[in-house]
Short mmCIF file of all heavy atoms in Angstrom, two decimals:
data_model
loop_
_atom_site.label_atom_id
_atom_site.label_comp_id
_atom_site.label_asym_id
_atom_site.label_seq_id
_atom_site.Cartn_x
_atom_site.Cartn_y
_atom_site.Cartn_z
N ASP A 713 0.01 -25.03 -4.37
CA ASP A 713 -0.94 -25.59 -5.31
C ASP A 713 -0.38 -25.68 -6.75
O ASP A 713 -1.15 -26.05 -7.68
CB ASP A 713 -2.21 -24.79 -5.33
CG ASP A 713 -3.12 -25.07 -4.16
OD1 ASP A 713 -2.97 -26.21 -3.61
OD2 ASP A 713 -3.99 -24.28 -3.82
N ILE A 714 0.89 -25.38 -6.99
CA ILE A 714 1.43 -25.38 -8.33
C ILE A 714 1.21 -26.74 -8.99
O ILE A 714 0.83 -26.86 -10.13
CB ILE A 714 2.88 -24.95 -8.34
CG1 ILE A 714 2.99 -23.45 -8.12
CG2 ILE A 714 3.54 -25.30 -9.64
CD1 ILE A 714 4.41 -22.93 -8.04
N PRO A 715 1.41 -27.87 -8.28
CA PRO A 715 1.12 -29.16 -8.90
C PRO A 715 -0.27 -29.35 -9.37
O PRO A 715 -0.56 -30.14 -10.26
CB PRO A 715 1.52 -30.20 -7.79
CG PRO A 715 2.49 -29.45 -6.92
CD PRO A 715 1.99 -28.10 -6.93
N ASN A 716 -1.23 -28.58 -8.77
CA ASN A 716 -2.66 -28.68 -9.12
C ASN A 716 -3.08 -27.62 -10.13
O ASN A 716 -4.30 -27.41 -10.34
CB ASN A 716 -3.52 -28.63 -7.89
CG ASN A 716 -3.20 -29.71 -6.87
OD1 ASN A 716 -3.01 -30.84 -7.26
ND2 ASN A 716 -3.10 -29.33 -5.59
N LEU A 717 -2.15 -26.90 -10.66
CA LEU A 717 -2.45 -25.75 -11.46
C LEU A 717 -3.38 -26.09 -12.64
O LEU A 717 -4.39 -25.40 -12.89
CB LEU A 717 -1.15 -25.14 -12.01
CG LEU A 717 -1.32 -23.99 -12.96
CD1 LEU A 717 -2.03 -22.80 -12.33
CD2 LEU A 717 0.06 -23.52 -13.48
N ILE A 718 -3.08 -27.13 -13.37
CA ILE A 718 -3.94 -27.53 -14.51
C ILE A 718 -5.35 -27.82 -14.05
O ILE A 718 -6.33 -27.37 -14.70
CB ILE A 718 -3.33 -28.69 -15.23
CG1 ILE A 718 -1.95 -28.33 -15.82
CG2 ILE A 718 -4.26 -29.24 -16.35
CD1 ILE A 718 -1.23 -29.52 -16.47
N ARG A 719 -5.45 -28.60 -13.01
CA ARG A 719 -6.82 -28.97 -12.51
C ARG A 719 -7.57 -27.73 -12.09
O ARG A 719 -8.80 -27.61 -12.37
CB ARG A 719 -6.61 -29.95 -11.33
CG ARG A 719 -7.95 -30.50 -10.84
CD ARG A 719 -7.67 -31.69 -9.87
NE ARG A 719 -6.86 -31.24 -8.71
CZ ARG A 719 -7.40 -30.79 -7.58
NH1 ARG A 719 -8.73 -30.67 -7.46
NH2 ARG A 719 -6.59 -30.41 -6.56
N ILE A 720 -6.91 -26.75 -11.45
CA ILE A 720 -7.60 -25.56 -11.01
C ILE A 720 -8.08 -24.74 -12.17
O ILE A 720 -9.21 -24.31 -12.24
CB ILE A 720 -6.68 -24.70 -10.15
CG1 ILE A 720 -6.39 -25.39 -8.80
CG2 ILE A 720 -7.24 -23.33 -9.88
CD1 ILE A 720 -5.26 -24.79 -7.99
N LEU A 721 -7.24 -24.57 -13.22
CA LEU A 721 -7.65 -23.80 -14.37
C LEU A 721 -8.70 -24.53 -15.19
O LEU A 721 -9.57 -23.83 -15.69
CB LEU A 721 -6.39 -23.52 -15.22
CG LEU A 721 -5.33 -22.60 -14.61
CD1 LEU A 721 -4.18 -22.38 -15.56
CD2 LEU A 721 -5.88 -21.27 -14.15
N ARG A 722 -8.66 -25.87 -15.26
CA ARG A 722 -9.70 -26.53 -16.03
C ARG A 722 -11.06 -26.41 -15.31
O ARG A 722 -12.08 -26.53 -15.94
CB ARG A 722 -9.32 -28.05 -16.07
CG ARG A 722 -8.17 -28.30 -16.98
CD ARG A 722 -7.90 -29.79 -17.15
NE ARG A 722 -8.93 -30.45 -17.90
CZ ARG A 722 -9.02 -31.71 -18.18
NH1 ARG A 722 -8.01 -32.51 -17.74
NH2 ARG A 722 -9.99 -32.26 -18.87
N GLY A 723 -11.01 -26.19 -14.00
CA GLY A 723 -12.28 -26.07 -13.28
C GLY A 723 -12.95 -24.72 -13.42
O GLY A 723 -14.06 -24.54 -12.94
N ILE A 724 -12.28 -23.77 -14.03
CA ILE A 724 -12.88 -22.43 -14.26
C ILE A 724 -13.74 -22.54 -15.56
O ILE A 724 -13.29 -22.95 -16.61
CB ILE A 724 -11.80 -21.36 -14.46
CG1 ILE A 724 -10.94 -21.31 -13.21
CG2 ILE A 724 -12.40 -20.00 -14.69
CD1 ILE A 724 -9.74 -20.36 -13.33
N THR A 725 -15.03 -22.26 -15.41
CA THR A 725 -15.94 -22.45 -16.51
C THR A 725 -15.77 -21.39 -17.56
O THR A 725 -15.24 -20.35 -17.34
CB THR A 725 -17.40 -22.41 -16.00
OG1 THR A 725 -17.69 -21.09 -15.53
CG2 THR A 725 -17.64 -23.39 -14.80
N GLU A 726 -16.33 -21.73 -18.73
CA GLU A 726 -16.33 -20.81 -19.85
C GLU A 726 -17.02 -19.49 -19.50
O GLU A 726 -16.62 -18.42 -19.88
CB GLU A 726 -16.95 -21.42 -21.06
CG GLU A 726 -16.80 -20.68 -22.34
CD GLU A 726 -17.24 -21.42 -23.56
OE1 GLU A 726 -17.09 -22.65 -23.58
OE2 GLU A 726 -17.79 -20.79 -24.49
N THR A 727 -18.09 -19.60 -18.72
CA THR A 727 -18.86 -18.39 -18.28
C THR A 727 -18.02 -17.54 -17.41
O THR A 727 -17.99 -16.29 -17.56
CB THR A 727 -20.15 -18.81 -17.59
OG1 THR A 727 -20.93 -19.59 -18.42
CG2 THR A 727 -20.88 -17.57 -17.08
N GLN A 728 -17.22 -18.18 -16.53
CA GLN A 728 -16.37 -17.42 -15.64
C GLN A 728 -15.24 -16.76 -16.39
O GLN A 728 -14.84 -15.63 -16.14
CB GLN A 728 -15.78 -18.32 -14.54
CG GLN A 728 -16.82 -18.77 -13.51
CD GLN A 728 -16.24 -19.86 -12.57
OE1 GLN A 728 -15.64 -20.76 -13.02
NE2 GLN A 728 -16.46 -19.66 -11.27
N ILE A 729 -14.73 -17.47 -17.37
CA ILE A 729 -13.62 -16.88 -18.22
C ILE A 729 -14.14 -15.65 -18.93
O ILE A 729 -13.44 -14.62 -18.99
CB ILE A 729 -13.12 -17.94 -19.20
CG1 ILE A 729 -12.31 -19.02 -18.43
CG2 ILE A 729 -12.24 -17.31 -20.26
CD1 ILE A 729 -11.92 -20.20 -19.27
N GLU A 730 -15.33 -15.77 -19.55
CA GLU A 730 -15.89 -14.59 -20.24
C GLU A 730 -16.09 -13.44 -19.30
O GLU A 730 -15.81 -12.29 -19.64
CB GLU A 730 -17.17 -14.99 -20.95
CG GLU A 730 -16.96 -15.93 -22.08
CD GLU A 730 -18.23 -16.04 -22.96
OE1 GLU A 730 -19.10 -15.15 -22.86
OE2 GLU A 730 -18.37 -17.02 -23.68
N PHE A 731 -16.58 -13.73 -18.08
CA PHE A 731 -16.80 -12.68 -17.09
C PHE A 731 -15.50 -11.99 -16.71
O PHE A 731 -15.41 -10.74 -16.68
CB PHE A 731 -17.44 -13.33 -15.83
CG PHE A 731 -17.61 -12.33 -14.68
CD1 PHE A 731 -18.69 -11.46 -14.66
CD2 PHE A 731 -16.72 -12.33 -13.65
CE1 PHE A 731 -18.83 -10.57 -13.64
CE2 PHE A 731 -16.87 -11.45 -12.60
CZ PHE A 731 -17.94 -10.53 -12.57
N MET A 732 -14.42 -12.79 -16.45
CA MET A 732 -13.18 -12.18 -16.06
C MET A 732 -12.53 -11.38 -17.22
O MET A 732 -11.99 -10.32 -17.00
CB MET A 732 -12.21 -13.29 -15.57
CG MET A 732 -12.58 -13.77 -14.18
SD MET A 732 -11.31 -14.87 -13.42
CE MET A 732 -11.72 -16.42 -14.21
N LEU A 733 -12.60 -11.92 -18.45
CA LEU A 733 -12.04 -11.21 -19.55
C LEU A 733 -12.83 -9.91 -19.85
O LEU A 733 -12.21 -8.88 -20.22
CB LEU A 733 -12.04 -12.09 -20.82
CG LEU A 733 -10.95 -13.14 -20.86
CD1 LEU A 733 -11.23 -14.16 -21.98
CD2 LEU A 733 -9.60 -12.53 -21.01
N ARG A 734 -14.10 -9.91 -19.57
CA ARG A 734 -14.88 -8.72 -19.75
C ARG A 734 -14.40 -7.63 -18.79
O ARG A 734 -14.31 -6.48 -19.05
CB ARG A 734 -16.39 -9.00 -19.54
CG ARG A 734 -17.28 -7.87 -19.87
CD ARG A 734 -18.75 -8.38 -20.17
NE ARG A 734 -19.23 -9.18 -19.03
CZ ARG A 734 -19.53 -10.44 -19.17
NH1 ARG A 734 -19.31 -11.12 -20.28
NH2 ARG A 734 -20.01 -11.12 -18.10
N ASN A 735 -14.06 -8.08 -17.52
CA ASN A 735 -13.54 -7.14 -16.57
C ASN A 735 -12.15 -6.64 -16.89
O ASN A 735 -11.85 -5.45 -16.69
CB ASN A 735 -13.56 -7.75 -15.18
CG ASN A 735 -14.93 -7.66 -14.50
OD1 ASN A 735 -15.52 -6.65 -14.50
ND2 ASN A 735 -15.35 -8.76 -13.87
N VAL A 736 -11.32 -7.52 -17.45
CA VAL A 736 -10.02 -7.06 -17.94
C VAL A 736 -10.18 -5.98 -18.97
O VAL A 736 -9.49 -4.97 -18.95
CB VAL A 736 -9.23 -8.29 -18.51
CG1 VAL A 736 -7.95 -7.80 -19.20
CG2 VAL A 736 -8.81 -9.22 -17.36
N ARG A 737 -11.16 -6.16 -19.87
CA ARG A 737 -11.42 -5.17 -20.90
C ARG A 737 -11.85 -3.90 -20.26
O ARG A 737 -11.49 -2.78 -20.74
CB ARG A 737 -12.49 -5.68 -21.86
CG ARG A 737 -12.86 -4.75 -22.96
CD ARG A 737 -14.06 -5.25 -23.74
NE ARG A 737 -14.38 -4.30 -24.81
CZ ARG A 737 -15.46 -4.43 -25.61
NH1 ARG A 737 -16.29 -5.43 -25.38
NH2 ARG A 737 -15.68 -3.56 -26.56
N GLN A 738 -12.64 -3.97 -19.19
CA GLN A 738 -13.13 -2.73 -18.54
C GLN A 738 -12.09 -1.94 -17.78
O GLN A 738 -12.14 -0.73 -17.75
CB GLN A 738 -14.26 -3.12 -17.57
CG GLN A 738 -15.57 -3.52 -18.18
CD GLN A 738 -16.30 -2.36 -18.79
OE1 GLN A 738 -16.31 -2.17 -19.99
NE2 GLN A 738 -16.84 -1.53 -17.91
N ILE A 739 -11.09 -2.64 -17.28
CA ILE A 739 -10.17 -1.93 -16.36
C ILE A 739 -8.73 -1.90 -16.76
O ILE A 739 -7.88 -1.37 -16.02
CB ILE A 739 -10.22 -2.61 -14.92
CG1 ILE A 739 -9.66 -4.01 -14.97
CG2 ILE A 739 -11.66 -2.60 -14.39
CD1 ILE A 739 -9.54 -4.65 -13.56
N TRP A 740 -8.40 -2.37 -17.98
CA TRP A 740 -6.98 -2.43 -18.37
C TRP A 740 -6.33 -1.08 -18.28
O TRP A 740 -5.12 -1.00 -17.99
CB TRP A 740 -6.82 -3.09 -19.69
CG TRP A 740 -7.20 -2.26 -20.88
CD1 TRP A 740 -8.44 -2.17 -21.47
CD2 TRP A 740 -6.35 -1.32 -21.63
NE1 TRP A 740 -8.41 -1.30 -22.49
CE2 TRP A 740 -7.14 -0.80 -22.65
CE3 TRP A 740 -5.00 -1.02 -21.54
CZ2 TRP A 740 -6.65 0.12 -23.60
CZ3 TRP A 740 -4.48 -0.08 -22.44
CH2 TRP A 740 -5.30 0.49 -23.42
N GLN A 741 -7.03 0.00 -18.56
CA GLN A 741 -6.39 1.33 -18.56
C GLN A 741 -6.01 1.76 -17.19
O GLN A 741 -5.20 2.68 -17.01
CB GLN A 741 -7.31 2.38 -19.23
CG GLN A 741 -7.37 2.22 -20.76
CD GLN A 741 -7.89 3.48 -21.38
OE1 GLN A 741 -7.39 4.57 -21.19
NE2 GLN A 741 -8.95 3.30 -22.22
N ARG A 742 -6.54 1.14 -16.16
CA ARG A 742 -6.10 1.44 -14.77
C ARG A 742 -4.66 0.99 -14.54
O ARG A 742 -4.05 1.29 -13.54
CB ARG A 742 -7.04 0.83 -13.74
CG ARG A 742 -8.43 1.49 -13.76
CD ARG A 742 -9.37 0.89 -12.66
NE ARG A 742 -10.67 1.44 -12.76
CZ ARG A 742 -11.08 2.54 -12.06
NH1 ARG A 742 -10.21 3.14 -11.31
NH2 ARG A 742 -12.33 2.97 -12.17
N PHE A 743 -4.11 0.20 -15.48
CA PHE A 743 -2.73 -0.26 -15.40
C PHE A 743 -1.85 0.50 -16.47
O PHE A 743 -0.78 0.03 -16.74
CB PHE A 743 -2.70 -1.78 -15.65
CG PHE A 743 -3.33 -2.56 -14.58
CD1 PHE A 743 -4.70 -2.64 -14.44
CD2 PHE A 743 -2.56 -3.20 -13.60
CE1 PHE A 743 -5.27 -3.39 -13.44
CE2 PHE A 743 -3.10 -3.88 -12.58
CZ PHE A 743 -4.50 -4.03 -12.48
N PHE A 744 -2.35 1.60 -16.95
CA PHE A 744 -1.70 2.35 -18.02
C PHE A 744 -1.66 3.79 -17.67
O PHE A 744 -2.67 4.40 -17.19
CB PHE A 744 -2.57 2.14 -19.27
CG PHE A 744 -1.97 2.67 -20.55
CD1 PHE A 744 -0.69 2.35 -21.02
CD2 PHE A 744 -2.72 3.50 -21.39
CE1 PHE A 744 -0.17 2.82 -22.17
CE2 PHE A 744 -2.22 4.01 -22.57
CZ PHE A 744 -0.92 3.66 -22.94
N TYR A 745 -0.52 4.43 -17.86
CA TYR A 745 -0.33 5.84 -17.49
C TYR A 745 -0.79 6.78 -18.60
O TYR A 745 -0.03 7.56 -19.15
CB TYR A 745 1.10 6.13 -17.06
CG TYR A 745 1.48 5.47 -15.72
CD1 TYR A 745 1.84 4.14 -15.63
CD2 TYR A 745 1.35 6.23 -14.56
CE1 TYR A 745 2.17 3.59 -14.42
CE2 TYR A 745 1.65 5.68 -13.31
CZ TYR A 745 2.06 4.33 -13.26
OH TYR A 745 2.36 3.78 -12.03
N ARG A 746 -2.07 6.64 -18.99
CA ARG A 746 -2.58 7.38 -20.13
C ARG A 746 -2.52 8.88 -19.94
O ARG A 746 -2.17 9.61 -20.87
CB ARG A 746 -4.02 6.95 -20.41
CG ARG A 746 -4.61 7.48 -21.68
CD ARG A 746 -6.10 7.34 -21.79
NE ARG A 746 -6.74 8.24 -20.81
CZ ARG A 746 -7.76 7.87 -20.00
NH1 ARG A 746 -8.19 6.62 -20.06
NH2 ARG A 746 -8.29 8.69 -19.13
N ASP A 747 -2.80 9.32 -18.70
CA ASP A 747 -2.85 10.78 -18.46
C ASP A 747 -1.48 11.42 -18.79
O ASP A 747 -1.41 12.43 -19.49
CB ASP A 747 -3.20 11.09 -17.03
CG ASP A 747 -3.37 12.52 -16.75
OD1 ASP A 747 -4.39 13.14 -17.07
OD2 ASP A 747 -2.40 13.13 -16.18
#
Side-chain angles (χ1 to χ4, degrees):
D713 280 339
I714 288 177
N716 301 317
L717 175 62
I718 295 175
R719 185 168 60 90
I720 292 169
L721 294 180
R722 290 184 68 181
I724 302 176
T725 68
E726 188 172 326
T727 300
Q728 290 173 315
I729 289 173
E730 291 193 19
F731 175 81
M732 286 190 277
L733 283 170
R734 189 160 53 246
N735 277 316
V736 169
R737 179 187 181 187
Q738 286 287 103
I739 68 173
W740 74 270
Q741 286 197 53
R742 291 182 184 270
F743 293 77
F744 187 55
Y745 289 84
R746 189 193 68 226
D747 183 80

